[in-house]
Amino acid sequence: MRLVFLGAPGAGKGTQAKRLVEKYGIPQISTGDLLRAAVAAGTPLGKEAKSYMDRGELVPDSVVLGMVKERLSQDDCKKGFILDGFPRNVAQAEALDKMLSEMNMPLDLALNLDVPFDDLMKRLTGRRTCKVCGQMYNIYYSPSKVEGKCDKCGGELFQRDDDKEETIRKRLEVYRAQTEPLIDYYSKKGILKSVSGTGSIDEIFNSICAILEKIK
Ligand code: AP5
Ligand code: ZN
């Protein structure tokens, strides 16, 4: 199963992708996570990416495309993959199509998580993530039992650098201008499905699985 997750910042792509990894055993490829790892490691790529990410802008396509190509050519992607946060604009989508056609691994599905714009700010300002195991919480919707500590492993929770109100506004603007047109792009290709991203995480997961069972 080869799929692309579409949806605005905060729509729940990462949350749902992690659950699909557990259920279907295929890797999640999050360009945001790959970029944040490069920033944390202080690599030249990370240094270049950081200024864009801090401003809420897209990192240049050349940087992201190289990273994705390398990741997709690893063995574990042969059984399928979930692309989360990529592609982010039409140029990236076209480059991905070309890449996957050369690898003989075309996409099965583009899944759009649809969440009203007004909910996104609260989801993003409230997001907290465990430094140790990556478990995600939300101070408004799904807080940890002890403030600032992970329920699963006791690790410290942190807030992402780009989850500040001003940066979030910019990310949402960039989404509208550059990423939202991909809904149309994949719809024209006949592989788009939309799912409501409001409701409980379990409810949304069940709707997604119902769609995936049909294409398996
Ligand atoms: P990236 O890391 O991709 O961030 P994003 O797209 O802004 O998406 P998020 O991770 O913020 O949201 P999500 O949809 O995964 O939501 P989540 O599940 O966490 O990108 C960051 C930056 O990297 C970009 O700005 C750019 O600079 C760069 N970048 C990345 N990819 C790039 C690319 N391809 N090209 C160029 N640049 C790129 O959930 C959010 C919160 O909501 C959590 O607290 C969660 O607990 C909560 N939540 C989830 N589901 C629900 C629910 N059903 N009800 C209530 N709360 C919920
Ligand atoms: Zn943890």
Side-chain angles (χ1 to χ4, degrees):
M1 193 172 1
R2 293 181 286 268
L3 60 115
V4 159
F5 244 128
L6 296 177
K13 304 178 296 291
T15 303
Q16 297 296 335
K18 285 192 177 68
R19 301 201 47 177
L20 293 174
V21 168
E22 278 170 27
K23 176 159 176 164
Y24 293 103
I26 51 175
Q28 168 199 14
I29 303 175
S30 157
T31 43
D33 287 348
L34 292 173
L35 289 166
R36 278 183 291 278
V39 171
T43 64
L45 187 152
K47 284 186 182 132
E48 189 187 347
K50 186 169 169 29
S51 60
Y52 294 94
M53 296 172 82
D54 285 348
R55 290 195 300 269
E57 291 171 11
L58 295 184
V59 172
D61 292 347
S62 55
V63 173
V64 177
L65 285 169
M67 222 172 58
V68 170
K69 191 165 189 178
E70 192 188 317
R71 183 64 188 89
L72 283 173
S73 57
Q74 288 170 15
D75 268 356
D76 62 340
C77 293
K78 292 208 171 80
K79 57 189 173 190
F81 50 79
I82 304 162
L83 283 166
D84 162 12
F86 177 90
R88 247 351 202 256
N89 57 29
V90 171
Q92 290 184 9
E94 286 169 353
L96 175 67
D97 281 345
K98 185 164 174 273
M99 211 185 284
L100 292 177
S101 129
E102 282 164 11
M103 295 166 113
N104 212 6
M105 323 196 286
L107 285 176
D108 297 309
L109 182 71
L111 197 67
N112 179 44
L113 266 182
D114 195 16
V115 175
F117 237 58
D118 289 349
D119 297 353
L120 298 169
M121 182 59 80
K122 201 167 169 187
R123 285 197 186 186
L124 290 171
T125 50
R127 171 166 54 191
R128 300 291 183 274
T129 311
C130 174
K131 264 186 186 163
V132 181
C133 74
Q135 176 66 31
M136 230 168 339
Y137 298 88
N138 194 290
I139 58 170
Y140 305 113
Y141 301 108
S142 50
S144 59
K145 290 193 183 84
V146 178
E147 197 185 324
K149 295 268 174 245
C150 176
D151 294 346
K152 277 194 174 170
C153 75
E156 198 186 323
L157 304 187
F158 74 99
Q159 186 168 20
R160 253 168 60 175
D161 286 343
D162 61 349
D163 278 347
K164 297 184 192 85
E165 217 171 301
E166 198 189 314
T167 318
I168 294 170
R169 255 190 208 107
K170 179 67 186 172
R171 284 160 60 203
L172 293 175
E173 213 177 277
V174 168
Y175 169 77
R176 280 229 152 126
Q178 302 199 43
T179 313
E180 209 169 42
L182 293 182
I183 296 178
D184 215 36
Y185 179 91
Y186 287 114
S187 170
K188 284 190 179 130
K189 288 191 177 288
I191 59 167
L192 180 84
K193 294 266 185 233
S194 262
V195 168
S196 163
T198 33
S200 76
I201 291 170
D202 280 346
E203 279 162 4
I204 300 163
F205 184 64
N206 289 338
S207 315
I208 293 173
C209 290
I211 292 174
L212 296 187
E213 288 305 320
K214 286 189 198 137
I215 62 152
K216 246 192 351 178

